[in-house]
Amino acid sequence: MPMTQVTVVLPVLMLSVGSAYGIHIMHRYYEERASGLPVRDAVGRTIEFVGIPILLAGVTTAAGFGANGFSSIPRIREFGLLAAFGVGCALAISLLFIPSGLVLSRRAARSLASGRDSEPMPASFGRVGRFVARRRWLAAGLTFAVVAVSVAGLPRLRIDTNFLSFFPEASAPRQAFEVVRSKFGGVDTIQIVLEGDVLEPRTLRAMDRAQQEFERTPGFGRAISVVDIVKQTSVAVNGNDPAFERIPDTKEAVAQYLLLVSMSGDVALEQMLTMDNRRARIQVMVDAADSTRRQDVLRRARDIVSKT
């Protein structure tokens, strides 16, 4: 099953969700050991007291993720089923593997054989602690060096939400992206909202000039608005004569054209114009693959709108 933009989050999700069950098991186990119980008895009481709550928590979590398996979107369906399977594996590890490992480990075996309790913290942790205590200035210097290098690297961080960069150039999603960008003038859109008397011919002509300027400017592609609907309707009601592909001279004529379109049930009009005819939008295709270029595109879009 290929990795997708949705399933790429599964490893981190499983680490955060799945580790919680084992943490609860170990926490209760340490409490039981601290009360003086041998390893085997401590493991038994741990499962007795927290086994059922952990089981119910895991089952409900898996069911929640698994509900996405009924989605009509294939990637969401894959994500839900894989997440549910991962939670089930984490649950099995917590309730079966961890208790068995505690009982069968060498440390537990020596404790059972000698009757002495063993410390839960590995000896390596103690050696690290003693090293840091003896060489405090060295540890502080190393910590300061790591922090200094991290701070020096902060200006090099690049914030970007372009998921396309996750794919190699020869991959199918990357090639499909390039085809759409070349054929349609971009894959992103910006929405320009106009407030006022939209049916006024002077307003529509200003929108038309803005659309033409967008389509002439590099980095922008196709621009559409209610102006296109008005022009197409004008051609249709005048015997499909291309000479009438223009905005009418009167507000009443524009209102009549839009009334005809609304009576035809065309949903495109609802997306471009509000019911009270006080707000309209221009949708412009843009070729902005990363956040840096996107900021430049927005700046140029503001300049075009302010000029028209």
Side-chain angles (χ1 to χ4, degrees):
M1 186 176 295
M3 188 73 73
T4 67
Q5 297 178 7
V6 180
T7 56
V8 71
V9 304
L10 280 174
V12 178
L13 180 65
M14 291 298 100
L15 182 63
S16 59
V17 175
S19 63
Y21 310 130
I23 291 173
H24 290 306
I25 291 286
M26 295 304 300
H27 179 71
R28 182 71 187 194
Y29 169 75
Y30 288 145
E31 288 182 344
E32 298 295 343
R33 292 286 284 137
S35 66
L37 289 179
V39 172
R40 189 179 296 274
D41 293 340
V43 171
R45 286 182 63 86
T46 296
I47 298 300
E48 179 182 355
F49 281 96
V50 300
I52 296 298
I54 290 177
L55 177 63
L56 293 177
V59 169
T60 54
T61 303
F65 283 121
N68 291 306
F70 296 97
S71 173
S72 60
I73 303 175
R75 296 309 179 212
I76 299 298
R77 186 165 60 248
E78 293 174 359
F79 169 79
L81 296 177
L82 289 174
F85 176 75
V87 170
C89 292
L91 189 62
I93 291 173
S94 301
L95 294 178
L96 300 176
F97 178 78
I98 292 179
S100 301
L102 290 172
V103 173
L104 299 177
S105 66
R106 293 182 179 179
R107 183 183 298 273
R110 289 197 301 268
S111 177
L112 289 172
S114 61
R116 297 191 304 268
D117 291 341
S118 59
E119 296 181 0
M121 180 179 294
S124 58
F125 287 6
R127 288 194 294 269
V128 172
R130 288 189 294 271
F131 174 82
V132 173
R134 288 195 302 267
R135 296 173 174 82
R136 294 188 297 273
W137 293 109
L138 176 60
L142 291 175
T143 303
F144 177 79
V146 172
V147 172
V149 171
S150 301
V151 172
L154 286 177
R156 303 182 60 184
L157 289 177
R158 181 180 178 185
I159 302 175
D160 192 8
T161 56
N162 179 25
F163 290 107
L164 189 68
S165 60
F166 296 170
F167 300 95
E169 294 184 359
S171 63
R174 191 68 171 266
Q175 293 178 354
F177 173 87
E178 295 298 335
V179 170
V180 173
R181 184 167 63 178
S182 61
K183 299 298 183 181
F184 295 94
V187 293
D188 289 340
T189 62
I190 57 174
Q191 311 292 333
I192 301 167
V193 179
L194 173 72
E195 296 182 356
D197 190 357
V198 179
L199 301 187
E200 181 64 41
R202 182 176 59 180
T203 304
L204 294 175
R205 292 191 181 98
M207 296 174 62
D208 192 21
R209 290 194 300 270
Q211 289 181 229
Q212 295 177 18
E213 184 64 25
F214 274 118
E215 294 179 355
R216 287 194 298 264
T217 304
F220 296 97
R222 173 76 169 138
I224 58 175
S225 72
V226 67
V227 172
D228 301 277
I229 298 177
V230 172
K231 287 183 176 181
Q232 292 172 7
T233 307
S234 177
V235 172
V237 298
N238 288 280
N240 293 324
D241 187 351
F244 286 91
E245 190 178 0
R246 54 183 175 81
I247 299 171
D249 296 327
T250 64
K251 180 178 177 179
E252 290 73 16
V254 174
Q256 290 294 325
Y257 288 171
L258 295 181
L259 177 61
L260 289 174
V261 175
S262 63
M263 293 175 62
S264 68
D266 192 345
V267 296
L269 181 60
E270 299 177 0
Q271 300 174 356
M272 297 296 173
L273 184 67
T274 58
M275 293 291 295
D276 58 1
N277 300 326
R278 301 297 300 176
R279 284 187 178 184
R281 71 169 180 170
I282 303 175
Q283 178 173 296
V284 186
M285 300 295 295
V286 295
D287 184 11
D290 55 60
S291 57
T292 304
R293 295 178 57 188
R294 197 171 293 125
Q295 292 298 324
D296 179 64
V297 165
L298 291 176
R299 179 186 57 78
R300 289 188 292 149
R302 294 189 186 98
D303 293 340
I304 293 174
V305 173
S306 61
K307 292 177 182 179
T308 55

